Amino acid sequence: MKGAKLYRAALLALSNYVKTHGMRPSSVRNMVLELICQLPQPFTAQLLVKACEPEHISVATVYNVLELLVDAQILHVNNRQRGKTNNEYELIVLPRPRMQVVCLKCGRVTDIQDKAIERLVEERKYTNFEMQRFSLFIYGECRTCRRRRKKE
């Protein structure tokens, strides 16, 4: 159900963007968007290409749709790398906070939830600025890497 809600919100945002920019609607573009909504977030372009193979959607089309969705502010491209060579993409149509802890040793990323931080950020007033969503990344060393280091 969550994926359906996400897809409807993303499709509405895409339809508005397409109309505003004088573009024609595309069923292939909508299909790629639907596949994106089914992927774990964040995802790489390579993962999306693989998901599009059964639908016979070309690699060039996938990359063109990714670029369009970033321009339409439906996707956020994350190039923090964390030792990876590929950018990660993440749907940003639903305004929900994203908080993660990132291990600087192994690159492992774990989503966290902290209602106290969410409330603190959401209640904060910024001069001449209206917040729509926020991301928080906490960098450090995970338990597995700490244990490995202590054994050495």
Side-chain angles (χ1 to χ4, degrees), residues 33-44:
L33 182 59
E34 185 174 9
L35 291 169
I36 288 171
C37 291
Q38 296 169 6
L39 292 175
Q41 303 291 318
F43 63 93
T44 62

Side-chain angles (χ1 to χ4, degrees), residues 76-89:
H76 170 73
V77 62
N78 178 356
N79 50 14
R80 284 178 282 133
Q81 299 305 323
R82 294 189 307 267
K84 299 176 184 174
T85 57
N86 302 318
N87 289 334
E88 292 179 332
Y89 296 86

Side-chain angles (χ1 to χ4, degrees), residues 40-43 78 80 82 88-92 95-101 109-113 117-118 133-138:
Q41 303 291 318
F43 63 93
N78 178 356
R80 284 178 282 133
R82 294 189 307 267
E88 292 179 332
Y89 296 86
E90 182 176 7
L91 281 163
I92 56 172
R96 70 182 211 289
R98 180 74 185 234
M99 295 184 284
Q100 299 176 319
V101 290
V109 179
T110 306
D111 288 332
I112 60 169
Q113 290 185 345
I117 292 174
E118 285 182 40
R133 63 185 155 271
F134 76 90
S135 297
L136 172 68
F137 301 96
I138 302 170

Side-chain angles (χ1 to χ4, degrees), residues 7-151:
Y7 176 63
R8 282 193 302 274
L11 187 59
L12 179 62
L14 177 60
S15 297
N16 290 338
Y17 183 83
V18 165
K19 283 179 193 171
T20 314
H21 289 79
M23 302 167 71
R24 291 187 314 211
S26 163
S27 60
V28 173
R29 194 183 299 134
N30 295 351
M31 189 182 307
V32 172
L33 182 59
E34 185 174 9
L35 291 169
I36 288 171
C37 291
Q38 296 169 6
L39 292 175
Q41 303 291 318
F43 63 93
T44 62
Q46 288 71 23
L47 183 63
L48 179 59
V49 166
K50 193 175 222 172
C52 289
E53 283 175 358
E55 304 298 332
H56 305 289
I57 300 171
S58 74
V59 174
T61 299
V62 170
Y63 278 93
N64 287 336
V65 172
L66 281 173
E67 187 175 324
L68 176 74
L69 295 174
V70 169
D71 289 344
Q73 295 183 359
I74 295 168
L75 284 181
H76 170 73
V77 62
N78 178 356
N79 50 14
R80 284 178 282 133
Q81 299 305 323
R82 294 189 307 267
K84 299 176 184 174
T85 57
N86 302 318
N87 289 334
E88 292 179 332
Y89 296 86
E90 182 176 7
L91 281 163
I92 56 172
V93 254
L94 297 178
R96 70 182 211 289
R98 180 74 185 234
M99 295 184 284
Q100 299 176 319
V101 290
V102 181
C103 180
L104 293 169
K105 296 276 186 191
C106 67
R108 181 184 198 170
V109 179
T110 306
D111 288 332
I112 60 169
Q113 290 185 345
D114 189 324
K115 295 295 180 187
I117 292 174
E118 285 182 40
R119 275 193 303 276
L120 180 69
V121 172
E122 289 168 358
E123 291 171 356
R124 176 84 167 97
K125 301 292 182 210
Y126 300 94
T127 309
N128 298 323
F129 186 78
E130 181 182 328
M131 182 185 72
Q132 295 175 350
R133 63 185 155 271
F134 76 90
S135 297
L136 172 68
F137 301 96
I138 302 170
Y139 297 92
E141 191 175 26
C142 71
R143 182 183 348 200
T144 306
C145 289
R146 278 195 324 269
R147 285 182 185 160
R148 231 181 264 145
R149 182 173 39 88
K150 287 179 182 179
K151 285 182 182 179

